[in-house]
Amino acid sequence: MDMRVYLDNAATTPMADEVIEVMADVMKNNYGNPSSIHSLGRESKAIIENARRSISSLIHALPKEIIFTSGGTEADNLALFASVNDLGVERIISSSIEHHAVEHTYTKLKSSKNVEVSLVKLGKNGEVDLEHLETLLKTSNKKTLVSLMHANNEIGTLLPIKKVSALCRQYNALFHSDTVQTMAHYPFNLEELDIDFLTCSAHKFHGPKGVGFLYVNKNLKINPIIEGGGQERGVRAGTENLIGIAGLAKALTLANEEIEDHIDKVSALKYYMLEQLKEKIPGIEVNGMLEPEKSLYTVLSVLFPKFEKQEVLLFMLDLEGVCCSGGSACTAGANMGSHVIRGIEGDTTRTTVRFSFSRYTTKADIDFAIQKIEKIYGK
Ligand SMILES: Cc1ncc(COP(=O)(O)O)c(C=O)c1O
């Protein structure tokens, strides 16, 4: 097969060999239902509880604050639905550039439960206007949930999460952050970050698809959105995804082992790629922030200058063996344009390409992509 490079790690990541090994071992040896009381069941249960303990200790939370889910989407849904159903929330403050797992959920809560939705103003790079957020928080007595993503999955803009958490506490609002793009990519310390809900998805950090968790602050008591056998201490029914949970814990452990090195290595690749693009493709522009402390180091979203084949740029990149995307994977395929680029009033007449990296990306991958991009533009 011709060479192919994978620069779409914000959509999903290849699984780490060590994660596959752990999962294969569980698959072979631990078929007991974690709710069964015999030894095989208890062994499965122990795998889940060990995973919960290692995950919680990595993020400095308590084991009981981790609720395993089928991934980021379910965790986002649970945080928003439970806030309204169980915690008295009547108003949600969020943004127009949230992942659809949040955006479609607050829209649904607005129409089905009459929840008031206020969208915070954004700067042209997707940065949250903190003054406006404070004004919104001040001007209502309704019990409020703030749901703002930690890093935008399309343009990488980071939220100053501690400042937002402090504002939420000051005005007695609940705070949920979709940390799907940042969990395992930055260190998390929930002893220092006062937050109510965090969302995690394993497949964004070399773990398996279809598993994640919602962190729920110990002070909150929520009910399930999926009813059944009362697993996850009654908060999420259904026989646990034992294999996935074991993989999730291993993937988070591996990511945290050398997290600072990963940050340095991947950031260097991102800025190298940007430099190369600027040199080879004059007129290229970045969507989102450039400063490392304001921008997710795994994402580089660029606006290509207009050229006659721009409509098919992604397709041509694919033919040349460069896997990347136009926006989030969820809207890919049908090129409907990105709600994020529209949300920041970005230029939708030019083609946006998101390159996204992981600790397995190499300089050779970037050089290959640059060479193909030059070729496409030279045509
Ligand atoms: C920011 C963000 N939130 C939520 C999700 C959904 O997570 P999952 O694919 O695990 O449902 C994704 C990615 O797909 C994402 O990038």
Side-chain angles (χ1 to χ4, degrees), residues 134-276:
E134 182 159 13
T135 307
L136 288 174
L137 284 165
K138 254 187 214 163
T139 49
S140 170
N141 293 324
K142 285 185 179 169
K143 181 75 187 167
T144 297
L145 169 75
V146 173
S147 179
L148 291 168
M149 66 205 312
H150 190 196
N152 185 275
N153 51 306
E154 294 193 27
I155 57 174
T157 300
L158 287 172
L159 182 77
I161 196 167
K162 280 197 176 168
K163 282 190 189 159
V164 173
S165 141
L167 274 176
C168 290
R169 287 299 176 248
Q170 188 182 340
Y171 294 98
N172 201 22
L174 293 170
F175 180 29
H176 163 246
S177 188
D178 177 331
T179 48
V180 165
Q181 294 290 343
T182 52
M183 181 69 68
H185 297 287
Y186 294 97
F188 273 81
N189 185 343
L190 296 183
E191 277 162 15
E192 289 170 7
L193 174 66
D194 191 6
I195 196 159
D196 296 296
F197 301 104
L198 283 182
T199 303
C200 169
S201 173
H203 73 97
K204 306 293 183 177
F205 49 91
H206 311 292
K209 293 161 185 63
V211 65
F213 66 81
L214 181 68
Y215 160 87
V216 183
N217 188 299
K218 60 181 179 304
N219 300 322
L220 304 175
K221 173 82 191 85
I222 64 167
N223 291 311
I225 53 174
I226 296 176
E227 298 285 353
Q231 289 88 347
E232 294 296 287
R233 286 180 314 286
V235 181
R236 201 279 187 181
T239 300
E240 299 87 337
N241 178 0
L242 175 64
I243 301 155
I245 290 169
L248 161 60
K250 183 67 185 178
L252 193 62
T253 305
L254 283 174
N256 275 275
E257 268 165 17
E258 292 169 2
I259 204 159
E260 300 297 341
D261 288 350
H262 299 155
I263 296 176
D264 290 349
K265 183 200 147 181
V266 180
S267 304
L269 288 174
K270 165 176 167 167
Y271 291 101
Y272 172 69
M273 181 160 199
L274 178 58
E275 228 171 73
Q276 290 292 306

